[in-house]
Amino acid sequence: DALRWAGDGPVGEPEIKTAEQYIETLRGRNLRVVILGEMVSEFVDHPLVWPSVNCMAETFRIGVDDPDLATAVGFTGVRMSRFLHVAESAQDLVKQSMMQRELGRRTGSCFQRCVGMDAINSMWGTTYDIDKKHGTKYHQRFQQYVSMCQKQNAVIGGAMTDPKGDRSLNCVQQEDPDLFVHVHARKPDGTLVLRGSKIHQTGVLNSHSMIVMPGQRLVEEEKAYAVACAVPIDAKGLTYIYGRQSCDLRAMEGSEIDQGNAKYGGQEAIVVFEDVEVPPEFVFMDGEYEFAQLLVERFTAYHRRSYICKAGLGDVMLGAAATISDYNGTSKASHVKDKIIEIAYLNENIAGTALAASYGGKAMPAGNFLPDVLMANICKHNVTKFPYEIARLTQDLAGGLLVTLPADKEWENDIARPLLEKFLVGKKGVTVENRRRILRLIENMTMGRNAVGYLSESMHGAGSPQAQRVIIQRLMDVEKKKDLAKRLAGVTEK
């Protein structure tokens, strides 16, 4: 079984084991990155970027703190991050989910590594299936690529979303062919030359390589767009344009309190491919257009279940809602208690459907396990709604000071500071500073930098709401349910 380590020797150690070692691997790559209109080749310590680097680094820290949860021994015999593990059982899927929730709790942000994990697992089965039909060698190539990444303990990004242009037109109907990543040319040795762009790329700068995949169903005339491959982040021809986030410039103002969550943040970028060369050993789909839809559906099954991370953020939100209620002196009011219960109820619905998808995982022909597709889509559909209501309830409990709180710099003013300390008191024994800190955290997660990951990403990441409803309609088996009702009602039809 190619998936399982034979266990015939000692467990190996990866090249990257600690957060500090990981962060050092991001330096010295001389990438083409545009941030706020400036070319920034060394981005790690840039104040806009550092919180996302530190957030990704937490995926290594949790591996040290809780190796049973956050690491696994892969088919290479190396103990590496669970984000690199190909799921061998439903229990592996469950551990992925539990790890994702815990990281959401630890960071209160998007820790950026789920897309790569889900890309690995969906590509594993799809390359196997392509080979069975076409006699290609994609699965062997993909095994070798994953083996290399496991031994390094590398961070893999997943690049699926194209700019799309006019959504009413397919790839070849667009006025500009580069609106979807495609094979522009081929070299005699089998090297592919790519052009196009991938957008909304979570954590891409903080990765070592990315798995490029088609993002939608394709037809034969779109064969050039049916390409899946691995591309190093520092490959020649790549340009990265950094995405803005609400309130992101607070990271450059020098105030830790006003950032709300100064330690951790997410990252998105637009990636532009300008004649990027991909050697054949890193090509895993080339023209097999009929497998594009299967790959996308498998990926979304993994990735929609991965939104259990929002339950981890929801745990933070529940804690923040309860804490600000304590600080405001309102925690004993019955309606406040009821709102906090509602937050818990909504949040556990997210977690429960994700875990149901993982527990219901089934083996694919390649041997790895796919989550229950219906429950994965129900999880993600919950996520398009429930975090917004949790945010609304938390803002309700926080009060108006959430959006009128003066800047941290006002506490440096000799006139303002004593007045603020006098008039912004809450419950006896609670410092004004602690009250400010919780308010800023709530602001950060509901309308600031980390609202990107908690709210907007919850809506559109892994497919907007209608995409889940299409799958739910397909899998809800309404005819069988009608038969159940008719049988119990004694209905007979001619």
Side-chain angles (χ1 to χ4, degrees):
D1 188 341
L3 258 182
R4 287 177 168 79
W5 175 50
D8 53 0
V11 175
E13 293 290 327
E15 295 174 27
I16 304 170
K17 290 185 286 187
T18 68
E20 292 74 22
Q21 290 171 337
Y22 157 69
I23 292 168
E24 285 306 306
T25 66
L26 302 183
R27 304 185 191 277
R29 296 188 293 174
N30 197 32
L31 306 183
R32 285 169 51 87
V33 184
V34 181
I35 303 176
L36 297 179
E38 297 182 355
M39 194 65 72
V40 181
S41 60
E42 292 292 338
F43 63 84
V44 172
D45 299 308
H46 192 290
L48 287 189
V49 185
W50 169 252
S52 73
V53 173
N54 194 42
C55 202
M56 181 75 86
E58 197 67 20
T59 68
F60 288 88
R61 297 186 187 104
I62 193 175
V64 174
D65 296 343
D66 192 346
D68 180 66
L69 178 66
T71 69
V73 179
F75 62 89
T76 55
V78 172
R79 180 168 293 282
M80 75 300 173
S81 171
R82 190 170 291 281
F83 284 103
L84 291 166
H85 190 47
V86 183
E88 303 171 10
S89 64
Q91 189 58 38
D92 276 345
L93 295 173
V94 171
K95 283 197 172 183
Q96 287 177 353
S97 295
M98 295 172 67
M99 171 185 68
Q100 289 167 308
R101 184 174 188 176
E102 180 59 24
L103 278 164
R105 291 166 170 164
R106 290 172 70 135
T107 64
S109 182
C110 173
F111 40 89
Q112 310 148 58
R113 211 167 172 184
C114 304
V115 184
M117 177 180 74
D118 299 333
I120 290 171
N121 279 273
S122 53
M123 285 298 303
W124 186 274
T126 305
T127 53
Y128 180 90
D129 292 343
I130 295 174
D131 288 357
K132 284 294 183 182
K133 179 178 180 180
H134 292 288
T136 45
K137 300 294 184 183
Y138 296 137
H139 192 59
Q140 180 181 349
R141 292 178 185 176
F142 192 69
Q143 286 184 33
Q144 292 170 347
Y145 166 69
V146 175
S147 174
M148 175 185 72
C149 293
Q150 288 188 353
K151 290 175 182 178
Q152 184 187 5
N153 206 10
V155 174
I156 299 175
M160 180 170 275
T161 306
D162 300 279
K164 296 187 180 72
D166 184 342
R167 271 67 169 170
S168 68
L169 304 177
N170 68 21
C171 302
V172 297
Q173 293 170 335
Q174 301 289 334
E175 186 174 334
D176 185 347
D178 293 346
L179 290 172
F180 292 81
V181 168
H182 62 282
V183 178
H184 172 71
R186 300 173 186 274
K187 293 196 167 186
D189 66 353
T191 294
L192 304 183
V193 181
L194 303 185
R195 286 187 181 177
S197 175
K198 293 291 186 180
I199 62 174
H200 317 316
Q201 293 308 293
T202 299
V204 64
L205 295 177
N206 299 335
S207 303
H208 298 109
S209 65
M210 65 179 114
I211 299 174
V212 178
M213 300 168 284
Q216 63 189 56
R217 182 183 68 85
L218 299 172
V219 295
E220 187 171 5
E221 63 179 350
E222 299 170 297
K223 288 178 68 172
Y225 297 86
V227 58
C229 56
V231 178
I233 300 303
D234 59 357
K236 183 180 178 181
L238 290 175
T239 300
Y240 303 90
I241 305 172
Y242 207 74
R244 289 299 304 268
Q245 297 171 329
S246 177
C247 305
D248 55 4
L249 290 183
R250 292 192 187 184
M252 302 179 73
E253 293 175 357
S255 169
E256 179 241 346
I257 289 181
D258 279 356
Q259 293 180 65
N261 180 353
K263 291 182 179 179
Y264 303 112
Q267 176 193 106
E268 297 79 29
I270 295 173
V271 184
V272 179
F273 296 73
E274 296 176 290
D275 293 339
V276 175
E277 297 185 3
V278 184
E281 60 266 29
F282 293 119
V283 175
F284 315 126
M285 176 192 289
D286 181 15
E288 293 82 13
Y289 67 92
E290 72 274 26
F291 285 91
Q293 182 174 353
L294 178 64
L295 172 60
V296 172
E297 290 185 355
R298 284 175 174 172
F299 174 80
T300 55
Y302 284 107
H303 202 46
R304 289 169 184 170
R305 168 216 57 138
S306 282
Y307 275 69
I308 192 173
C309 65
K310 306 311 175 195
L313 274 70
D315 291 330
V316 177
M317 288 293 291
L318 192 155
T323 300
I324 197 61
S325 299
D326 287 341
Y327 288 179
N328 289 344
T330 60
S331 61
K332 294 183 179 180
S334 60
H335 72 93
V336 171
K337 293 178 182 178
D338 189 61
K339 288 168 184 172
I340 292 173
I341 291 169
E342 182 69 7
I343 291 172
Y345 162 76
L346 294 169
N347 201 49
E348 295 305 329
N349 267 275
I350 294 171
T353 48
L355 286 169
S358 292
Y359 276 111
K362 297 290 189 296
M364 292 192 290
N368 61 319
F369 274 61
L370 180 74
D372 182 277
V373 177
L374 177 60
M375 291 309 300
N377 279 271
I378 289 174
C379 170
K380 176 54 178 49
H381 204 54
N382 285 342
V383 170
T384 68
K385 301 176 181 181
F386 294 171
Y388 286 89
E389 180 62 7
I390 291 170
R392 187 188 71 82
L393 290 168
T394 304
Q395 288 188 352
D396 179 358
L397 295 171
L401 195 58
L402 176 69
V403 292
T404 65
L405 182 65
D408 188 35
K409 284 185 177 295
E410 316 308 351
W411 268 260
E412 300 174 8
N413 182 279
D414 292 340
I415 295 175
R417 183 177 62 254
L419 297 175
L420 292 169
E421 289 292 319
K422 175 181 174 66
F423 291 110
L424 295 185
V425 295
K427 184 178 179 180
K428 185 176 180 180
V430 176
T431 66
V432 171
E433 178 180 322
N434 283 344
R435 192 175 179 215
R436 283 199 291 150
R437 286 182 177 276
I438 289 295
L439 287 168
R440 287 301 187 206
L441 176 63
I442 295 170
E443 180 191 43
N444 169 275
M445 296 184 71
T446 63
M447 63 184 86
R449 290 196 73 173
N450 285 322
V452 174
Y454 189 54
L455 298 181
S456 300
E457 183 190 290
S458 292
M459 178 67 74
H460 293 295
S464 302
Q466 190 59 28
Q468 292 105 58
R469 297 184 78 86
V470 169
I471 301 296
I472 292 168
Q473 182 182 29
R474 185 195 304 168
L475 298 178
M476 65 184 184
D477 199 356
V478 69
E479 292 303 319
K480 180 179 179 181
K481 275 41 172 222
K482 286 161 65 175
D483 288 342
L484 294 174
K486 292 172 184 177
R487 179 178 62 81
L488 291 174
V491 171
T492 58
E493 294 178 338
K494 293 183 180 179

